[in-house]
Amino acid sequence: AAGVIQSPRHLIKEKRETATLKCYPIPRHDTVYWYQQGPGQDPQFLISFYEKMQSDKGSIPDRFSAQQFSDYHSELNMSSLELGDSALYFCASSLKWEGLPYEQYFGPGTRLTVT
Amino acid sequence: DAKTTQPNSMESNEEEPVHLPCNHSTISGTDYIHWYRQLPSQGPEYVIHGLTSNVNNRMASLAIAEDRKSSTLILHRATLRDAAVYYCILRDELAGGTSYGKLTFGQGTILTVHP
């Protein structure tokens, strides 16, 4: 079965650079979530989209922005990168089922290293 | 968001049952109880969810206390592959609510399985 695809899997950037992370949800899934997991920490919710509209927002820095496109893939854009942005970034997708969100399927993550 | 409390770590032997507890004394009527797990170097993975009644699926069973203030994830026969961090998460499934859909990860239980 198709899974959530994230690219790139690894990314190395320098401070103050920009980065773009991509997420391709499971076919027919209409909701995308982004999470950040720092070293030794638990995943933290950043932002979500439902039917290409932002549906919820968590502790996402103003330097970060995201969007969901017409084909439902999503991109997380990160500017003015800081050392503290080094983390695993997970994308998850789900399908609204009878009006309720169902389980989320997570991708393998993108490991971002800022030097 | 209602909070959950889990033990930091638990150990089990292979092929033995494992009972992972979760306390959620401030749970609200619209909170579903979700369990996810994260294997080393992977994204979180859905395990099971429930509202009031006990639930079974191919991965595990979920036993929910009558007052819903606690629940237990049951792995019937632990395998080495079950070694992971297990997260108990409450999610408000009220359509249109501000916590609609996102997962709020707290400190999970690190499960170690011995051969």
Side-chain angles (χ1 to χ4, degrees), chain A residues 35 37 42 99-101 104 106, chain B residues 36 38 44 87 93 100-101 103:
Chain A
Y35 295 85
Q37 186 172 27
D42 303 305
L100 292 176
Q104 293 183 21
F106 283 77
Chain B
Y36 281 74
Q38 187 172 23
Y87 295 98
E93 305 291 356
Y100 194 35
L103 295 170

Side-chain angles (χ1 to χ4, degrees), chain B residues 17-38:
Chain B
V18 181
H19 291 234
L20 298 166
C22 180
N23 288 319
H24 29 79
S25 58
T26 59
I27 190 170
S28 72
T30 52
D31 284 335
Y32 274 70
I33 302 161
H34 293 256
W35 283 82
Y36 281 74
R37 71 180 186 182
Q38 187 172 23

Side-chain angles (χ1 to χ4, degrees), chain B residues 4-5 15-16 18-19 28-29 32 34 41-42 45 47 55 57 65 77 81 87 92 95 99 102 104 107:
Chain B
T4 62
T5 304
E15 298 191 7
E16 289 185 354
V18 181
H19 291 234
S28 72
Y32 274 70
H34 293 256
S41 302
Q42 294 188 28
E45 175 186 34
V47 178
V55 183
N57 67 19
R77 291 184 64 190
R81 193 194 172 278
Y87 295 98
D92 184 357
S99 61
K102 71 182 178 190
T104 301
Q107 179 185 295

Side-chain angles (χ1 to χ4, degrees), chain A residues 9 33 35 37 41-45 48 55-58 88 90 96 99-109 111, chain B residues 32 34 36 38 41-46 49 85 87 91-95 98-108:
Chain A
R9 294 292 309 277
Y33 306 84
Y35 295 85
Q37 186 172 27
Q41 298 181 3
D42 303 305
Q44 297 297 311
F45 169 74
S48 64
S55 56
D56 199 358
K57 194 172 182 180
L88 266 170
F90 291 107
K96 293 292 175 64
L100 292 176
Y102 211 48
E103 63 259 33
Q104 293 183 21
Y105 294 84
F106 283 77
R111 181 174 295 280
Chain B
Y32 274 70
H34 293 256
Y36 281 74
Q38 187 172 23
S41 302
Q42 294 188 28
E45 175 186 34
Y46 167 80
H49 76 279
V85 180
Y87 295 98
R91 195 169 75 178
D92 184 357
E93 305 291 356
L94 182 64
T98 57
S99 61
Y100 194 35
K102 71 182 178 190
L103 295 170
T104 301
F105 291 86
Q107 179 185 295

Side-chain angles (χ1 to χ4, degrees), chain A:
Chain A
V4 175
I5 298 172
Q6 292 189 245
S7 68
R9 294 292 309 277
H10 302 272
L11 190 58
I12 300 175
K13 291 285 186 178
E14 295 186 355
K15 284 193 303 183
R16 293 180 289 277
E17 285 191 322
T18 61
T20 297
L21 278 55
K22 297 185 178 182
C23 170
Y24 298 87
I26 291 172
R28 296 191 301 112
H29 280 195
D30 52 17
T31 306
V32 167
Y33 306 84
W34 285 96
Y35 295 85
Q36 177 192 57
Q37 186 172 27
Q41 298 181 3
D42 303 305
Q44 297 297 311
F45 169 74
L46 290 178
I47 195 167
S48 64
F49 293 87
Y50 168 62
E51 285 291 345
K52 292 153 279 184
M53 298 288 290
Q54 181 181 307
S55 56
D56 199 358
K57 194 172 182 180
S59 51
I60 182 170
D62 292 339
R63 300 177 289 108
F64 294 7
S65 65
Q67 57 182 323
Q68 187 178 31
F69 295 85
S70 58
D71 63 352
Y72 292 97
H73 94 272
S74 178
E75 295 183 4
L76 178 66
N77 299 294
M78 311 159 71
S79 62
S80 302
L81 287 169
E82 302 174 355
L83 294 178
D85 296 328
S86 295
L88 266 170
Y89 290 84
F90 291 107
C91 170
S93 73
S94 71
L95 175 67
K96 293 292 175 64
W97 181 70
E98 295 186 353
L100 292 176
Y102 211 48
E103 63 259 33
Q104 293 183 21
Y105 294 84
F106 283 77
T110 293
R111 181 174 295 280
L112 173 66
T113 303
V114 181
T115 61

